[in-house]
Amino acid sequence: MTEKEAAELAQLERRAKKLFSGRVEFLLSAPQLKFLPEPTVPEIAFAGRSNVGKSSLLNALVGRKKIARASVTPGRTQELNFFEVGDPTLFRLVDMPGYGFAKAPVKVVEKWKNLVKTYLRGRQVLVRNLVLVDSRHGLKDVDREMMKMLDEAAVGYRVVMTKADKIKASELEKTVAAVEAEAKKHVAAFPHIHVTSSEKGMGIGELRAALLQDAGV
Ligand SMILES: Nc1nc2c(ncn2[C@@H]2O[C@H](COP(=O)(O)OP(=O)(O)OP(=O)(O)O)[C@@H](O)[C@H]2O)c(=O)[nH]1
Ligand SMILES: [Mg+2]
């Protein structure tokens, strides 16, 4: 990276931090497609297995502890939750229910799955997805399934490793390399893997800057 590029990146990160720490407001919770908000601004959605840290990441990005509800019980988030960023609103962050294991009846999980699938495939203002992967576990088959679906939906996505504070640096390196190699095989996946810890703030500034660019602001 040249000095000029580094300076530009630093400036982008500052702008992103300012925007994410400014107006962020919960807009609505959509338990069904008919409750989706008007598609007026770009949207960035958070996907990932139950308990991977989607809600926590959203909270870390906006620097507030409880804007999205996080919990130790997998299956906490059960609807599509929309958060507006900027004043006036420049884009939205969408916290989604997790896939894979969830402490909920099969029928209910099936309903979330369809909601998420239809949203991901058909939402015109959806500009980017984040696929969150637990640093301790790496990619699981349900993640691969989701990535395949996103490839087909042709919406670009960033793979974001979460809970990096919970694993040794040497182990983390191995897992990231393996995820990176697999991501290369997915047409809609960005080659760069984001490594984050919502707990420690690791990788959050860089991800904010990337999302700002994704949203085109
Ligand atoms: N140590 C550590 N714990 C984390 C981190 N991110 C999330 N957690 C914890 O992981 C648990 C699940 O986090 P959530 O953010 O609720 O996960 P989620 O993906 O939104 O879960 P669902 O809504 O159930 O799909 C909570 O106990 C969080 O405190 C992290 O970066 N580090
Ligand atoms: Mg959640």
Side-chain angles (χ1 to χ4, degrees):
M1 200 188 293
T2 66
E3 230 173 78
K4 188 167 168 253
E5 282 167 346
E8 277 171 6
L9 186 64
Q11 197 195 10
L12 179 67
E13 286 198 15
R14 276 197 300 275
R15 195 158 65 83
K17 187 170 185 184
K18 201 169 162 203
L19 186 62
F20 277 92
S21 58
R23 176 178 173 269
V24 178
E25 223 166 83
F26 171 72
L27 174 65
L28 59 81
S29 204
Q32 291 172 47
L33 285 172
K34 62 178 177 188
F35 296 114
L36 291 183
E38 284 297 308
T40 50
V41 291
E43 289 171 358
I44 297 169
F46 293 54
R49 293 169 64 218
S50 293
N51 211 42
V52 71
K54 298 175 293 297
S55 302
S56 301
L57 182 67
L58 201 153
N59 288 334
L61 286 167
V62 304
R64 273 149 270 200
K65 280 233 148 68
K66 285 184 185 158
I67 198 150
R69 279 206 281 169
S71 146
V72 286
T73 317
R76 168 75 267 176
T77 309
Q78 311 194 348
E79 303 93 5
L80 296 176
N81 292 316
F82 291 78
F83 299 87
E84 296 190 324
V85 182
D87 192 5
T89 305
L90 294 170
F91 59 93
R92 296 183 186 129
L93 300 174
V94 186
D95 191 15
M96 300 202 290
Y99 48 78
F101 172 77
K103 274 193 177 132
V106 180
K107 261 197 164 161
V108 177
V109 173
E110 204 54 38
K111 220 182 86 188
W112 302 348
K113 235 184 174 169
N114 283 327
L115 175 70
V116 167
K117 216 166 164 175
T118 317
Y119 169 79
L120 291 174
R121 285 187 175 160
R123 188 73 165 169
Q124 281 178 351
V125 290
L126 183 62
V127 293
R128 191 70 71 237
N129 283 296
L130 302 182
V131 174
L132 276 60
V133 178
D134 193 314
S135 295
R136 296 166 299 175
H137 309 315
L139 288 174
K140 299 273 187 191
D141 281 341
V142 279
D143 299 312
R144 298 185 178 101
E145 242 173 74
M146 171 56 83
M147 288 164 80
K148 220 174 126 197
M149 200 182 89
L150 291 172
D151 288 337
E152 282 158 16
V155 180
Y157 54 93
R158 298 181 180 279
V159 178
V160 180
M161 311 296 294
T162 62
K163 308 190 189 183
D165 59 283
K166 286 205 166 194
I167 175 179
K168 278 196 293 192
S170 54
E171 292 294 315
L172 181 63
E173 218 173 283
K174 274 188 226 157
T175 314
V176 173
V179 172
E180 200 167 26
E182 269 205 59
K184 283 200 180 113
K185 296 183 200 150
H186 289 266
V187 288
F190 277 43
H192 176 69
I193 309 295
H194 295 267
V195 179
T196 67
S197 162
S198 300
E199 193 94 354
K200 306 276 181 229
M202 176 182 175
I204 300 298
E206 182 208 289
L207 185 58
R208 276 194 202 111
L211 297 187
L212 212 64
Q213 289 193 309
D214 290 345
V217 297

